[in-house]
Amino acid sequence: MTMRSKLMVGNWKMNGSLVANASLVNAILDDIATVNCRAAVCVPAVFLAQLQALLAGSCIGLGAQDVSAHASGAYTGEVSADMLRDFAVRYCIVGHSERRQYHAESDALVAIKAQRALAAGITPIVCVGESLAERDAGQTEHVVKRQLAAVIHANGHCISEIVVAYEPLWAIGTGLTATPEQAQQVHAVLRAQLQAASSHADLISILYGGSMNAANAAELLAQPDVDGGLIGGAALKAPDFLSMLKTASR
Ligand code: PGA
């Protein structure tokens, strides 16, 4: 028996406005009564204060999309883990493929970011995933294990406090979802790697991400090692996100 309740996280990416955020969140909260899974939204940093107020007292946790690898000081444009903590941020995505790709984030940098989040009492959602070329070359397992190994190495026994998100690059924003079998296969690999590093690995949530939507969430979430979802596009529509939260609540 697993002790992991599902965790559904919206990744808003670089979307939203003060007006749009309020209407999205209010529509979600209007119908949240039957939801009993864990839930969070990861929003652009400039909206953290707004979302802290909108989500206050609700069951939806607040999350950020990135954090600086530095504690404080002369790092123009960066946001520190302690600053996130000031806004009651509970989760922070680290190593999203869009940051690895467009901002040249290395495995080592992602590991330090996870460390910064953990030190501030924030749960890092560590993203791993292979490109289509890597999958076609049979390197999926090698790539995701290398990405996760860096985080395990840098974080020692704290590793049981992280959340992992498996997001195959070819499934992100493409409408091409991994099959439940493909997702489970990689999640099982990641679980085994976590088990080798921590006696509490069974408590670590491993989320699937990549074109998860209201239609395919149930079969993905039915897999034994799929503990929830990291949801981009479908998290921007209140009915879709709500539907997925309800699916995860069963
Ligand atoms: P998507 O994005 O659901 O729009 O594919 C997921 C993600 O990148 O976190």
Side-chain angles (χ1 to χ4, degrees), residues 9-13 93 96-98 127 165 167-177 208-213 229-236 244:
V9 180
N11 173 13
W12 288 6
K13 308 195 180 186
I93 297 171
H96 191 282
S97 61
E98 287 151 16
C127 299
E167 297 205 309
L169 271 62
W170 46 272
I172 294 176
T174 58
L176 248 171
T177 317
Y208 169 79
S211 297
M212 193 188 250
N213 59 40
L230 182 55
I231 305 141
L236 296 172
M244 299 166 83

Side-chain angles (χ1 to χ4, degrees), residues 4-7 191 204-207 221 224-229:
R4 303 181 296 272
S5 73
K6 301 287 193 220
L7 171 62
R191 178 84 59 207
I204 300 175
S205 294
I206 307 179
L207 315 182
L221 294 173
D225 287 295
V226 177
D227 306 317

